[in-house]
Amino acid sequence: RGEDAKQAKKEGNESSGSKTSARFQSFQRNYILVFLLAMFADWLQGPYVYELYVSYGFDQAAIAELFVCGFLSSMIVGTFVGGLADKLGRRNACILYCLTYGIACFTKLVNDYWVLMLGRFLSGVATSLLFSVFESWMVCEHKNQGFDPALVGDTFSNAVFGNGLVAVVAGFVANFAANSYGNVAPFVVAIIPLAAVGIICSTTWAENYGNQSLNYLSSLRQGFDLVRNDSRIAALGMAQSCFEGAMYTFVFMWTPALKPQEGTILVEGEETVSDYLGTIFAVFMVCVMVGSSRFKILAQRPKSLYSIPLYLHAAAFLSMAGVTLFMENKTIVYGCFLVFEASVGVFWPAYGTIKSEKIPEDIRSAVMNIFRIPLNAFVVLLLLKVKYLDSSTVFTICSIAHGFAFICY
């Protein structure tokens, strides 16, 4: 009888474990689907934002101003939106992302500076939501469902790997759409996955919150108090801000950096970098996938998690330094860009896992958006001055930022 009881208990535990595993896999698949659709909409636009503005006749200074508006809105408005998401619901904030980004896509159809500026403003708000509320919802729901905390890293890793794959597809789709219907086409196509995200979130996601007793100003205040009083959280946030600040500068600069130097004589009919922006972008995303896969292997040893960022920050610094030193050799520049993108693939799951352990649940979205304040300030200041700087100088500044990120971490 004793043996029968033990066997029954064992089978019961296995059955319970199997049900939990099935529930987790269903939860993970649902989240990753939504996250990848949200990112797909963003990636579709990435290769052609700069090129669309060029095709509308804007010079680099005007384009920089448009980009600055996006980062300023992300820094100012996005900060408050993060605290609001903790109070009013992360799922609602995810749906708000779809609405704001969808309207921003429509503005790209109008060749008017101020309409495009409105679009950049809305894009900035949407970007803040994309990189905070989806993650906040997932981490909170993971805990609410009672899943093993160690599995959060697995979700992050799979999401980043899938994100790379989705970005590759987005690059080719954007390339085809732009070549077939013009540079504005990828922005129209992006409305489709945005609509899908809104529908799936509203029909399949449960709502979750931070501390609802806090108003958004109190939530922000507690977030700032945490950053001010915990030097490790402050250092983590600064390292993230420096890395992402340089990364977003890279987003603005990689297209002109790969193009021939001014004064280069092109043969009529000769193919140029502009003909392959979507393809180049897709290769970048393959490198992101390689990086996320590498993280998944390294993270199998729990003690190594907190040392991984040291290597990714070092790789990012060396790659940007290589761009600075060999700016005229486009082959080397492209190779350095690929190394940097691989470090980005490690960055997202590594920092996502660490933040899930270190940031309190009740003010998670607020703290994550506080982290974005210095990165947006960095990008805004740099882009305001970009018309006075050559590409080599800009990438030197990015190298310094990555070096500082390494020191902070």
Side-chain angles (χ1 to χ4, degrees), residues 277-298:
L277 291 176
T279 304
I280 292 170
F281 183 76
V283 177
F284 284 169
M285 294 306 105
V286 170
C287 293
V288 172
M289 294 169 64
V290 170
S292 67
S293 298
R294 184 61 179 164
F295 168 80
K296 195 168 186 177
I297 295 170
L298 294 173

Side-chain angles (χ1 to χ4, degrees), residues 57-111:
F58 297 106
D59 59 19
Q60 190 178 50
I63 295 172
E65 291 169 359
L66 290 167
F67 272 78
V68 163
C69 178
F71 287 110
L72 272 176
S73 70
S74 182
M75 180 174 68
I76 299 170
V77 180
T79 302
F80 292 96
V81 167
L84 210 57
D86 288 329
K87 182 174 177 61
L88 301 181
R90 280 83 177 251
R91 184 192 67 174
N92 289 335
C94 292
I95 296 171
L96 179 62
Y97 159 80
C98 302
L99 293 174
T100 54
Y101 221 177
I103 296 171
C105 289
F106 277 115
T107 64
K108 299 298 192 297
L109 295 167
V110 182
N111 183 3

Side-chain angles (χ1 to χ4, degrees), residues 149-317:
L151 293 174
V152 171
D154 184 69
T155 300
F156 277 121
S157 182
N158 289 338
V160 173
F161 182 86
N163 187 27
L165 185 61
V166 160
V168 171
V169 175
F172 286 116
V173 171
N175 212 92
F176 174 79
N179 288 339
S180 301
Y181 303 104
N183 289 331
V184 75
F187 301 91
V188 177
V189 175
I191 296 170
I192 299 172
L194 288 171
V197 170
I199 293 170
I200 296 172
C201 282
S202 60
T203 56
T204 66
W205 281 20
E207 186 61 278
N208 62 49
Y209 305 86
N211 188 340
Q212 288 185 280
S213 65
L214 298 173
N215 59 45
Y216 66 89
L217 289 177
S218 297
S219 179
L220 273 178
R221 186 166 57 251
Q222 285 199 10
F224 279 113
D225 287 342
L226 174 68
V227 174
R228 186 173 64 251
N229 296 327
D230 190 328
S231 60
R232 290 177 301 173
I233 293 291
L236 182 70
M238 186 55 67
Q240 175 186 319
S241 293
C242 289
F243 185 94
E244 289 194 48
M247 181 185 71
Y248 286 120
T249 304
F250 165 82
V251 169
F252 178 81
M253 291 299 301
W254 74 263
T255 302
L258 288 176
K259 289 184 176 181
Q261 299 291 328
E262 289 187 15
T264 302
I265 299 175
L266 298 176
V267 178
E268 186 176 351
E270 182 181 0
E271 294 180 325
T272 66
V273 168
S274 296
D275 297 315
Y276 292 96
L277 291 176
T279 304
I280 292 170
F281 183 76
V283 177
F284 284 169
M285 294 306 105
V286 170
C287 293
V288 172
M289 294 169 64
V290 170
S292 67
S293 298
R294 184 61 179 164
F295 168 80
K296 195 168 186 177
I297 295 170
L298 294 173
Q300 291 176 357
R301 295 173 292 176
K303 292 182 179 179
S304 70
L305 173 63
Y306 287 87
S307 64
I308 291 173
L310 292 173
Y311 298 103
L312 78 88
H313 286 307
F317 168 75

